[in-house]
């Protein structure tokens, strides 16, 4: 077990080594039998009705259903009111039916090939779906809320998502010790031992802002738990280092012994709720079928499956035992089976009446009161995102001060705080101060803000400093953001473990719990999000389409070509844009609510802000919208301290809003008919273009327009800009390579809005395999090359499109 605590070791010894400790009353045995009946007959029913359908049944480990119910029973007895579960697909339908208690007809109708999907998204296969249910626990007679979180085919991907949702539920209830909310994670043995996200999730369990105060892990272990053949049995199915890594006791139990399973699960639940620590229950069983019901395991495991086919099902074995000891009669057992079979048949009959599949009936994280009763936004408008100047000033003053007395800060930090105070007096902000004002204003409005990631407290580029450290008292810290107003919402800023996959999944789960929180994950560099690609692809990009699950998580991805090499330059905007669902070829119908309607119809929002004010506004808009969408922000690096990259309070006060497009506002805009070239760009390259235009004295001949919101594409504003300069050549300029960045996304959309009457020429770096060079000189040469092309007004003469 690798437990160093003597008290905990003694506790475990007492639970397992005390003679006669595993005693069950007749009532408990009968309840266990009834639960086994439901577990096994459910699988039998599905097999009879849909013999050729994949369902990833639980045959071989039917005892998992009473195991999970026992964990919930014991936890409810000890005060738990909310249990959040995550699991792969094996046995999911059975858990939905017999643990969560999903209506059987809603499960059965999923097998109907003629069932029409409601217009709620693309949906998902039935054995990936989740569920939320509030009910009475029949054993404790207490209210219990159960959530089974939807999961893709990536078996362990849901683990950190469940932990994040659990942490959020604990936070909103004030349940700091995890006495009201807990999680259960179900694993397969191969995935538990082999997939790294399992251990990323375990490693979060002891971090202050990530701990959920212990999780009960149940492993469905497809080892041959029943055999006496030493060639086919193992005393422990995992290497000893697994136990060391997870830092939790692992209780191995034979799944063919239901009473032992129930006892061990009860002990595991008691352990978690006593010591607030993780625990693993290893159900050593077998899989009666192959990978799924269509798979033939005899192809590759003939000897093993000859043994498996000889096995007496656990239900019959346990029923025979209880009948032999006169706990139940054969008639009572048969009546229990007949009773559940009748329930299934009646539900099957009702399921035939269902003609439409409503994905929202499978929602795992509802937000009561946020949407209408039909699940629609209460409006299709968004208020302005500016705030009163006195609020800006107040936040700026707090951001430049130390709220605690006798608190010694670093001298270098004193200069940073002095700089903030100076900017506040001058009514201007840089990126860090704009972010501070966005967060602070939301806290004033009662919105919880949580910022998570590697080194986010200080900021990767030492620009944020949201946590101050006393230079003379060890571990004494101060978070000025939590000293803005007496009745403000709490601000959480937390350095994560060195993980992207697990931590991003955690924050996604955290954002699932409530729409009234701004939850942000920041990558150390935008390039590093690719180790969390599974969460981005399977949950963030597609979550609403598959599971009708709104989520407002914000990804902050530092991005920019600055000669820092191929792993510290690109957040891969092309990947996010490729997964955006807006149609490049559909000419939109413009209406009064076009801007908000477009946001509602998209799967996520992708922005690259060029000013601190716009960054401030897009963060506030994320909360003020009447719905929630993931927000991808490509954030700056060098612009954090660029002298030109500052905004005035005038761009942030009441009445101002996020600008999807920032048009040219200089000399060229005053005489648009004289402009020969209109350059569209996004992000940091704007500052390079403005400098070069000035150097070449082309301010009156070249206009530069910034695309701040890239997806969904601002067709209306791009159309307006192009029409404003009818004689101008249109150019798209980016610092990324041509096969990366934004060009492949914007080009067809420009063609659509321009009805293919004018080309949009590309200016930028040539196609490449790596996103950036590691050579500083090569970087500067390629920068000069494309800037020269951008302002060469004859560059495209004679070319056709």
């Amino acid at each position: 077990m690798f437990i160093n605590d003597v008290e905990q070791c003694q506790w475990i010894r007492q639970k397992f080594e005390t003679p006669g400790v595993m005693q069950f009353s007749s009532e408990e045995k009968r309840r266990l039998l009834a639960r086994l009946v439901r577990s096994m007959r459910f699988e039998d029913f599905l097999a009879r009705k849909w013999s050729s359908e994949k369902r990833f049944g639980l045959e071989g480990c039917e005892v998992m259903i009473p195991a999970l119910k026992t964990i919930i029973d014991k936890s409810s007895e000890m005060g738990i009111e909310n249990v959040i579960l995550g699991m792969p697909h094996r046995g999911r339908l059975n858990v939905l039916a017999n643990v969560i208690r999903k209506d059987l007809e809603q499960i059965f109708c999923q097998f109907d090939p003629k069932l029409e999907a409601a217009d709620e998204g693309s949906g998902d296969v039935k054995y990936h779906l989740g569920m939320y249910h509030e009910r009475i626990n029949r054993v404790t007679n207490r209210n219990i809320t159960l959530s089974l979180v939807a999961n893709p085919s990536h078996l362990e991907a849901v683990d950190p998502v469940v932990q994040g949702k659990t942490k959020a539920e604990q936070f909103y209830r004030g349940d700091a010790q995890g006495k009201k909310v807990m999680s259960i994670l179900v694993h397969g043995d191969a995935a538990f031992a082999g997939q790294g996200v399992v251990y990323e999730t375990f490693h979060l369990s002891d971090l202050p802002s990530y701990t959920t105060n212990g999780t009960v892990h149940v492993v469905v272990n497809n080892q041959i738990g029943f055999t006496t053949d030493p060639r086919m049995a193992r005393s422990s199915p995992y290497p000893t280092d697994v136990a060391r890594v997870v830092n939790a006791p692992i209780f191995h139990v034979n799944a063919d012994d239901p009473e032992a399973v129930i006892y061990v699960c009860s002990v595991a639940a008691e352990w978690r709720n006593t010591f607030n620590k993780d625990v693993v229950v290893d159900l050593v069983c077998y899989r009666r079928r192959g990978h799924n019901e269509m798979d033939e395991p005899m192809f590759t495991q003939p000897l093993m499956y000859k043994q498996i086919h000889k096995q007496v099902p656990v239900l019959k074995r346990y029923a025979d035992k209880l009948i032999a000891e006169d706990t139940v009669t054969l008639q009572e057992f048969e009546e229990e089976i007949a009773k559940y079979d009748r329930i299934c048949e009646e539900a099957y009959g009702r399921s035939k009446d269902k003609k439409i599949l409503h994905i929202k009936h499978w929602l795992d994280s509802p937000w009561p009161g946020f949407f209408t009763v039909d699940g629609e936004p209460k409006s299709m408008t968004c208020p302005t995102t500016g705030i009163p100047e006195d609020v800006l000033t107040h936040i700026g003053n707090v951001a430049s001060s130390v709220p605690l007395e006798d608190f010694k800060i670093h001298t270098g930090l004193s200069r940073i705080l002095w700089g903030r105070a100076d900017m506040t007096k001058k009514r201007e902000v840089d990126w860090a101060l704009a972010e501070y004002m966005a967060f602070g204003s939301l806290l004033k409005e009662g919105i919880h803000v949580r910022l998570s990631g590697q080194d986010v407290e200080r900021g990767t580029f030492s620009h944020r400093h949201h946590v101050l450290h006393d230079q003379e008292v060890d571990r004494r810290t101060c978070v000025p953001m939590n000293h803005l107003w007496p009745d403000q919402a709490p601000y959480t800023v937390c350095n994560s473990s060195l993980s992207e996959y697990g931590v991003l999944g955690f924050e996604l789960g955290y954002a699932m719990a409530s729409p009234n929180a701004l939850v942000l994950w920041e990558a150390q560099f935008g390039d590093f999000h690719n180790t969390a690609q599974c969460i981005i692809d399977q949950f963030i990009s597609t979550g609403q389409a598959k599971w009708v699950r709104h989520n407002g998580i914000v990804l902050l991805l530092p991005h920019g070509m600055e000669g820092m090499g191929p792993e510290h330059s690109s957040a891969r905007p092309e990947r996010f844009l490729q997964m955006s669902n807006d149609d490049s070829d559909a000419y939109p119908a413009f209406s009064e609510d076009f801007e908000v309607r477009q946001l509602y119809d998209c799967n996520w929002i992708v922005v690259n802000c060029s000013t601190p004010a716009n960054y401030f506004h897009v963060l506030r808009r994320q909360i003020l919208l009447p719905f929630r969408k993931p927000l991808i922000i490509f954030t700056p690096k060098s612009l954090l301290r660029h002298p030109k990259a500052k905004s005035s309070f005038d761009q942030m006060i009441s009445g101002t809003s996020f600008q999807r497009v920032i048009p040219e506002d200089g000399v060229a805009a005053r005489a648009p008919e004289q402009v020969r070239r209109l350059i569209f760009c996004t992000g940091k390259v704007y500052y390079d273009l403005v400098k070069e235009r000035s150097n070449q004295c082309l301010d009156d001949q070249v206009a530069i327009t910034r695309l701040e919101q890239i997806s969904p594409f601002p067709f209306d504003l791009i159309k307006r800009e192009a029409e404003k300069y009818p004689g101008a050549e249109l150019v798209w300029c980016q610092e990324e390579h041509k096969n990366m960045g934004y060009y492949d996304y914007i080009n067809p959309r420009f063609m659509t809005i321009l009805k293919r009457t004018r080309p949009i020429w590309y200016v930028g770096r040539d196609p490449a395999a790596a996103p950036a060079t590691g050579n500083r000189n090569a970087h500067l040469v390629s920068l000069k090359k494309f800037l020269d092309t951008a302002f060469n007004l004859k560059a495209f003469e004679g070319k056709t499109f």
Side-chain angles (χ1 to χ4, degrees):
M1 294 180 297
F2 304 103
I3 298 174
N4 294 323
D5 188 292
V6 174
E7 178 193 358
Q8 293 174 11
C9 289
Q10 287 298 106
W11 189 92
I12 291 175
R13 290 192 184 100
Q14 183 269 328
K15 292 294 181 182
F16 288 105
E17 297 179 7
T18 302
V21 72
M22 198 174 73
Q23 298 293 330
F24 293 91
S25 66
S26 294
E27 179 186 356
E28 290 170 328
K29 292 180 180 180
R30 293 168 73 95
R31 182 190 307 130
L32 172 55
L33 180 65
R35 288 174 170 178
L36 279 173
V37 165
R38 287 175 172 257
S39 176
M40 193 152 192
R41 296 304 289 180
F42 177 82
E43 299 293 353
D44 290 347
F45 185 84
L46 296 185
R48 290 197 308 273
K49 295 295 185 182
W50 298 282
S51 58
S52 60
E53 283 272 354
K54 285 195 296 184
R55 54 186 166 82
F56 293 94
L58 199 53
E59 290 97 332
C61 194
E62 293 91 346
V63 75
M64 188 181 83
I65 298 303
L68 293 177
K69 292 177 77 70
T70 297
I71 295 168
I72 294 169
D73 292 346
K74 186 65 177 180
S75 299
S76 174
E77 176 188 314
M78 297 182 74
I80 291 293
E81 299 171 354
N82 190 335
V83 179
I84 301 165
L85 296 91
M87 66 179 298
H89 32 285
R90 186 183 178 200
R92 177 175 284 260
L93 295 180
N94 207 324
V95 170
L96 283 165
N98 290 313
V99 178
I100 310 296
R101 293 190 200 159
K102 177 81 172 172
D103 289 342
L104 290 177
E105 56 264 36
Q106 289 195 16
I107 296 176
F108 296 159
C109 74
Q110 290 274 333
F111 289 89
D112 185 353
K114 297 179 181 179
L115 194 67
E116 297 180 9
D119 188 20
E120 297 173 335
S122 55
D124 202 350
V125 291
K126 48 192 167 289
Y127 39 81
H128 287 173
L129 300 176
M131 174 64 180
Y132 173 94
H133 188 41
E134 298 178 12
R135 63 174 175 82
I136 298 292
N137 182 285
R138 292 172 182 168
V139 174
T140 63
N141 201 34
R142 294 177 177 177
N143 289 325
I144 191 82
T145 298
L146 301 175
S147 301
L148 177 62
V149 178
N151 190 40
S153 287
H154 301 66
L155 300 174
E156 301 289 343
V158 79
D159 296 358
V161 180
V162 166
Q163 299 300 69
K165 179 173 165 58
T166 303
K167 181 65 176 180
E169 296 289 357
Q170 291 174 348
F171 177 86
Y172 295 129
R173 287 171 176 248
D175 182 22
Q177 300 301 315
K179 300 301 183 183
K180 299 296 182 184
V181 183
M182 67 172 285
S183 57
I184 300 173
L185 290 174
V186 180
H187 313 266
D189 59 305
F192 184 72
Q195 294 200 5
V197 71
V198 174
Y199 305 100
E200 290 188 37
T201 304
F202 266 104
H203 289 167
L204 295 174
S205 63
D206 287 330
L207 289 180
S209 294
Y210 300 87
T211 181
T212 57
N213 302 285
T215 296
V216 179
H217 298 262
V218 178
V219 180
V220 179
N221 188 344
N222 295 317
Q223 305 297 323
I224 308 302
F226 54 79
T227 183
T228 57
D229 186 340
R231 295 169 300 174
M232 302 177 69
R234 303 180 188 178
S235 60
S236 174
Y238 312 114
T240 55
D241 58 342
V242 169
R244 293 181 188 273
V245 170
V246 300
N247 190 29
I250 300 179
F251 301 149
H252 305 289
V253 59
N254 192 329
D256 259 10
D257 186 344
E259 291 183 4
V261 168
I262 297 313
Y263 180 76
V264 167
C265 286
S266 179
V267 170
E270 190 175 353
W271 164 276
R272 185 270 168 200
N273 291 296
T274 300
F275 296 107
N276 291 351
K277 287 186 171 292
D278 292 320
V279 60
V280 180
V281 176
D282 184 40
L283 301 178
V284 185
C285 56
Y286 59 91
R287 189 164 64 191
R288 187 169 288 276
R289 302 180 188 272
H291 174 66
N292 60 60
E293 289 71 24
M294 303 297 99
D295 181 39
E296 176 49 79
M298 292 286 285
F299 288 153
T300 56
Q301 300 285 348
L303 297 182
M304 179 188 293
Y305 273 85
K306 284 179 182 177
Q307 289 271 8
I308 288 175
H309 292 157
K310 295 176 184 177
Q311 293 308 302
V312 177
V314 65
L315 174 60
K316 184 179 187 315
R317 185 178 301 183
Y318 189 59
D320 289 347
K321 175 180 181 295
L322 296 192
I323 291 170
E325 64 185 37
D326 292 330
T327 301
V328 297
T329 66
L330 176 60
Q331 181 180 350
E332 288 172 328
F333 172 56
E334 291 175 342
E335 287 174 352
E336 189 69 35
I337 290 176
K339 174 185 174 183
Y340 188 69
D341 286 353
R342 186 166 57 251
I343 291 172
C344 290
E345 285 292 349
E346 291 172 356
Y348 176 67
R350 293 191 299 271
S351 73
K352 293 182 177 180
D353 297 330
K354 295 188 177 292
K355 305 299 182 187
I356 298 177
L357 167 64
H358 291 282
I359 308 171
K360 63 187 177 185
H361 291 164
W362 300 78
L363 185 61
D364 54 20
S365 301
W367 293 338
F370 185 70
F371 295 110
T372 67
V373 292
D374 297 323
E376 297 296 320
K378 294 180 178 178
S379 73
M380 201 51 71
T381 60
C382 180
T384 58
T385 47
I387 60 176
E389 182 164 343
D390 63 322
V391 177
L392 292 172
T393 302
H394 174 73
I395 297 172
N397 290 336
V398 173
S400 56
S401 66
V402 182
L404 300 184
E405 295 182 359
D406 301 321
F407 195 100
K408 177 76 170 178
I409 63 172
H410 192 277
T411 53
L413 189 53
S414 297
R415 290 192 297 271
I416 292 174
L417 298 189
W418 180 88
R420 290 179 184 172
D422 186 57
M423 282 189 289
T424 302
K425 290 176 183 176
K426 293 177 180 177
R427 301 180 67 254
E428 66 180 16
V429 298
D430 62 4
W431 291 87
L433 192 51
E435 180 184 78
Y436 214 109
M437 290 177 173
F439 290 177
S441 60
L442 291 172
L443 296 173
K444 184 178 190 294
E445 296 163 15
I447 300 298
H448 169 48
V449 178
R450 176 183 169 94
L451 173 62
S452 166
Q454 296 163 23
D455 210 16
V456 296
E457 296 178 3
R458 184 197 70 174
T460 296
F461 310 102
S462 196
H463 65 287
R464 184 174 286 126
H465 296 287
H466 283 190
V467 179
L468 309 180
H469 293 260
D470 194 312
Q471 299 297 296
E472 296 179 348
V473 181
D474 188 35
R475 298 181 183 274
R476 186 185 184 208
T477 60
C478 172
V479 181
M481 193 86 76
N482 280 322
H483 295 265
L484 289 167
W485 288 279
D487 56 350
Q488 68 173 71
Y491 173 55
T492 302
V493 56
C494 41
N495 291 338
S496 72
S497 60
L498 198 66
S499 156
E500 286 82 28
Y501 189 169
V503 175
L504 180 55
F506 187 98
E507 301 309 329
L508 176 84
Y510 198 102
M512 284 169 51
S514 171
N516 299 314
L518 183 68
V519 180
L520 310 96
W521 174 77
E522 182 175 68
Q524 192 175 54
F525 284 85
D527 316 59
F528 302 161
H529 80 258
N530 59 5
T531 61
Q533 200 70 47
C534 177
I535 298 297
I536 294 168
D537 291 354
Q538 314 307 134
F539 290 87
I540 300 178
S541 170
T542 57
Q544 184 180 350
K546 294 193 296 187
W547 307 318
V548 200
R549 179 200 287 163
H550 284 246
N551 196 296
I553 190 169
V554 180
L555 274 61
L556 304 178
L557 307 177
H559 172 84
M561 306 295 117
E562 293 160 350
M564 297 182 68
E567 277 75 56
H568 296 83
S569 298
S570 178
R572 294 290 190 174
E574 65 277 2
R575 295 181 179 172
F576 292 96
L577 295 174
Q578 183 191 41
M579 290 188 283
S580 296
N581 68 351
D582 61 328
D583 190 344
S584 62
D585 301 321
Y587 194 96
F590 301 125
S591 59
E592 288 186 7
D593 63 357
F594 174 74
E595 178 180 350
V596 178
R597 176 67 62 180
Q598 208 187 17
L599 295 174
Y600 179 67
D601 291 338
C602 74
N603 61 318
W604 56 17
I605 304 164
V606 181
V607 303
N608 189 357
C609 300
S610 64
T611 71
N614 235 15
Y615 179 51
F616 163 88
H617 284 298
V618 81
L619 290 174
R620 286 186 49 78
R621 186 184 72 170
Q622 185 70 355
I623 289 297
L624 295 179
L625 285 168
F627 45 81
R628 295 289 174 264
K629 298 286 178 174
L631 173 61
I632 315 300
I633 307 180
F634 303 123
T635 54
K637 296 176 291 182
S638 62
L639 291 190
L640 293 171
R641 294 177 175 84
H642 196 293
K644 299 290 186 181
K646 290 185 178 178
S647 297
S648 165
F649 278 15
D650 292 336
Q651 298 169 301
M652 303 164 67
I653 58 175
S654 300
T656 58
S657 293
F658 175 72
Q659 293 180 273
R660 293 175 292 149
V661 169
I662 301 181
E664 171 66 52
D665 62 354
V667 176
R670 294 193 284 274
E673 67 282 353
Q674 303 298 320
V675 171
R676 298 176 59 189
R677 178 169 290 179
L678 171 57
I679 299 177
F680 291 93
C681 66
T682 186
K684 180 182 74 69
V685 74
Y686 167 75
Y687 293 90
D688 296 321
L689 289 168
V690 169
K691 181 180 178 180
E692 185 65 21
R693 180 178 64 177
S694 177
N695 290 342
Q696 298 196 25
C697 300
L698 291 173
D699 296 72
D700 59 338
Q701 297 185 61
V702 178
I704 304 174
T705 292
R706 287 166 274 176
L707 189 59
E708 302 281 295
Q709 177 180 296
I710 308 159
S711 180
F713 191 72
F715 285 100
D716 53 336
L717 301 183
I718 294 298
K719 180 175 184 290
R720 182 189 305 171
E721 280 296 287
E723 291 174 349
K724 181 178 179 179
Y725 302 91
E729 199 172 43
L730 305 183
V731 166
W732 174 262
C733 182
Q734 64 180 41
E735 59 179 355
E736 297 82 4
H737 293 282
K738 188 175 183 180
N739 57 324
M740 304 172 196
Y742 320 90
Y743 182 65
D744 285 342
Y745 175 84
I746 66 96
N747 184 37
R749 288 163 177 81
F750 266 92
M751 291 297 97
T752 295
I753 203 64
L754 298 172
K755 298 185 178 178
R756 300 189 177 273
T757 57
R758 301 162 70 182
I760 177 84
W761 299 108
Y762 171 79
V763 172
R765 291 183 167 92
D766 294 334
T773 178
N775 182 280
R776 177 69 177 173
N777 183 64
H779 164 75
L780 294 174
V781 168
S782 62
L783 174 62
K784 183 179 186 305
K785 179 182 176 182
F786 81 72
L787 288 177
D788 287 344
T789 304
F791 294 100
N792 178 1
L793 301 183
K794 296 182 179 181
F796 303 108
E797 281 187 1
K799 293 188 177 182
T800 58
F801 78 100

mmCIF file of all heavy atoms in Angstrom, residues 407-411 413 468-474 476:
data_model
loop_
_atom_site.group_PDB
_atom_site.id
_atom_site.type_symbol
_atom_site.label_atom_id
_atom_site.label_comp_id
_atom_site.label_asym_id
_atom_site.label_seq_id
_atom_site.Cartn_x
_atom_site.Cartn_y
_atom_site.Cartn_z
ATOM 1 N N PHE A 407 4.040 43.889 5.007
ATOM 2 C CA PHE A 407 4.242 42.867 3.979
ATOM 3 C C PHE A 407 5.352 43.356 3.056
ATOM 4 O O PHE A 407 5.206 44.349 2.356
ATOM 5 C CB PHE A 407 2.942 42.640 3.191
ATOM 6 C CG PHE A 407 2.937 41.386 2.352
ATOM 7 C CD1 PHE A 407 2.308 40.246 2.801
ATOM 8 C CD2 PHE A 407 3.560 41.362 1.100
ATOM 9 C CE1 PHE A 407 2.291 39.091 2.036
ATOM 10 C CE2 PHE A 407 3.544 40.222 0.323
ATOM 11 C CZ PHE A 407 2.910 39.071 0.792
ATOM 12 N N LYS A 408 6.486 42.664 3.082
ATOM 13 C CA LYS A 408 7.677 43.084 2.331
ATOM 14 C C LYS A 408 7.691 42.414 0.964
ATOM 15 O O LYS A 408 7.786 41.189 0.862
ATOM 16 C CB LYS A 408 8.934 42.694 3.104
ATOM 17 C CG LYS A 408 10.242 43.002 2.407
ATOM 18 C CD LYS A 408 10.588 44.465 2.454
ATOM 19 C CE LYS A 408 12.014 44.693 1.958
ATOM 20 N NZ LYS A 408 12.368 46.122 1.937
ATOM 21 N N ILE A 409 7.584 43.207 -0.113
ATOM 22 C CA ILE A 409 7.614 42.640 -1.463
ATOM 23 C C ILE A 409 8.992 42.836 -2.079
ATOM 24 O O ILE A 409 9.803 43.632 -1.614
ATOM 25 C CB ILE A 409 6.536 43.269 -2.361
ATOM 26 C CG1 ILE A 409 6.776 44.772 -2.544
ATOM 27 C CG2 ILE A 409 5.145 42.997 -1.819
ATOM 28 C CD1 ILE A 409 5.853 45.414 -3.568
ATOM 29 N N HIS A 410 9.240 42.099 -3.148
ATOM 30 C CA HIS A 410 10.511 42.167 -3.855
ATOM 31 C C HIS A 410 10.676 43.553 -4.489
ATOM 32 O O HIS A 410 9.719 44.149 -4.967
ATOM 33 C CB HIS A 410 10.546 41.080 -4.932
ATOM 34 C CG HIS A 410 11.895 40.859 -5.543
ATOM 35 N ND1 HIS A 410 12.382 41.642 -6.560
ATOM 36 C CD2 HIS A 410 12.853 39.935 -5.269
ATOM 37 C CE1 HIS A 410 13.587 41.211 -6.895
ATOM 38 N NE2 HIS A 410 13.900 40.168 -6.133
ATOM 39 N N THR A 411 11.919 44.042 -4.499
ATOM 40 C CA THR A 411 12.147 45.384 -5.045
ATOM 41 C C THR A 411 11.789 45.459 -6.534
ATOM 42 O O THR A 411 11.304 46.496 -7.002
ATOM 43 C CB THR A 411 13.624 45.781 -4.855
ATOM 44 O OG1 THR A 411 14.464 44.759 -5.410
ATOM 45 C CG2 THR A 411 13.948 45.964 -3.372
ATOM 46 N N LEU A 413 9.422 43.885 -7.945
ATOM 47 C CA LEU A 413 7.966 43.967 -8.006
ATOM 48 C C LEU A 413 7.482 45.375 -7.645
ATOM 49 O O LEU A 413 6.457 45.837 -8.163
ATOM 50 C CB LEU A 413 7.351 42.933 -7.063
ATOM 51 C CG LEU A 413 5.842 42.716 -7.143
ATOM 52 C CD1 LEU A 413 5.409 42.424 -8.574
ATOM 53 C CD2 LEU A 413 5.430 41.583 -6.222
ATOM 54 N N LEU A 468 1.338 37.933 -4.333
ATOM 55 C CA LEU A 468 2.533 38.577 -3.808
ATOM 56 C C LEU A 468 3.129 37.701 -2.707
ATOM 57 O O LEU A 468 2.397 37.094 -1.924
ATOM 58 C CB LEU A 468 2.195 39.960 -3.253
ATOM 59 C CG LEU A 468 1.404 40.897 -4.176
ATOM 60 C CD1 LEU A 468 1.156 42.223 -3.489
ATOM 61 C CD2 LEU A 468 2.133 41.091 -5.504
ATOM 62 N N HIS A 469 4.447 37.635 -2.648
ATOM 63 C CA HIS A 469 5.140 36.802 -1.659
ATOM 64 C C HIS A 469 5.964 37.685 -0.731
ATOM 65 O O HIS A 469 6.783 38.491 -1.182
ATOM 66 C CB HIS A 469 6.049 35.790 -2.362
ATOM 67 C CG HIS A 469 5.303 34.755 -3.150
ATOM 68 N ND1 HIS A 469 5.064 33.481 -2.693
ATOM 69 C CD2 HIS A 469 4.715 34.832 -4.376
ATOM 70 C CE1 HIS A 469 4.370 32.807 -3.598
ATOM 71 N NE2 HIS A 469 4.153 33.602 -4.634
ATOM 72 N N ASP A 470 5.736 37.516 0.553
ATOM 73 C CA ASP A 470 6.502 38.260 1.561
ATOM 74 C C ASP A 470 7.955 37.806 1.494
ATOM 75 O O ASP A 470 8.247 36.598 1.560
ATOM 76 C CB ASP A 470 5.920 38.003 2.950
ATOM 77 C CG ASP A 470 6.429 38.996 3.985
ATOM 78 O OD1 ASP A 470 7.655 39.222 4.032
ATOM 79 O OD2 ASP A 470 5.597 39.559 4.726
ATOM 80 N N GLN A 471 8.874 38.759 1.371
ATOM 81 C CA GLN A 471 10.285 38.434 1.221
ATOM 82 C C GLN A 471 10.967 38.093 2.543
ATOM 83 O O GLN A 471 12.123 37.659 2.551
ATOM 84 C CB GLN A 471 11.008 39.622 0.579
ATOM 85 C CG GLN A 471 10.500 39.971 -0.805
ATOM 86 C CD GLN A 471 10.718 38.845 -1.807
ATOM 87 O OE1 GLN A 471 11.853 38.482 -2.099
ATOM 88 N NE2 GLN A 471 9.626 38.288 -2.319
ATOM 89 N N GLU A 472 10.241 38.233 3.655
ATOM 90 C CA GLU A 472 10.849 37.975 4.958
ATOM 91 C C GLU A 472 10.132 36.899 5.766
ATOM 92 O O GLU A 472 10.677 36.417 6.762
ATOM 93 C CB GLU A 472 10.900 39.279 5.772
ATOM 94 C CG GLU A 472 11.790 40.339 5.123
ATOM 95 C CD GLU A 472 11.829 41.630 5.909
ATOM 96 O OE1 GLU A 472 10.992 41.778 6.831
ATOM 97 O OE2 GLU A 472 12.681 42.486 5.620
ATOM 98 N N VAL A 473 8.910 36.534 5.367
ATOM 99 C CA VAL A 473 8.140 35.511 6.084
ATOM 100 C C VAL A 473 7.824 34.385 5.102
ATOM 101 O O VAL A 473 7.125 34.600 4.109
ATOM 102 C CB VAL A 473 6.835 36.077 6.680
ATOM 103 C CG1 VAL A 473 6.084 34.983 7.430
ATOM 104 C CG2 VAL A 473 7.137 37.258 7.590
ATOM 105 N N ASP A 474 8.342 33.205 5.367
ATOM 106 C CA ASP A 474 8.173 32.090 4.451
ATOM 107 C C ASP A 474 6.702 31.718 4.283
ATOM 108 O O ASP A 474 5.943 31.644 5.256
ATOM 109 C CB ASP A 474 8.944 30.864 4.972
ATOM 110 C CG ASP A 474 8.978 29.722 3.961
ATOM 111 O OD1 ASP A 474 9.048 30.022 2.756
ATOM 112 O OD2 ASP A 474 8.928 28.551 4.378
ATOM 113 N N ARG A 476 4.203 33.307 3.318
ATOM 114 C CA ARG A 476 3.181 34.330 3.533
ATOM 115 C C ARG A 476 2.901 34.994 2.187
ATOM 116 O O ARG A 476 3.802 35.525 1.538
ATOM 117 C CB ARG A 476 3.641 35.369 4.545
ATOM 118 C CG ARG A 476 2.535 36.362 4.907
ATOM 119 C CD ARG A 476 3.032 37.463 5.815
ATOM 120 N NE ARG A 476 1.920 38.329 6.216
ATOM 121 C CZ ARG A 476 2.062 39.607 6.539
ATOM 122 N NH1 ARG A 476 3.270 40.177 6.521
ATOM 123 N NH2 ARG A 476 1.019 40.319 6.898
#
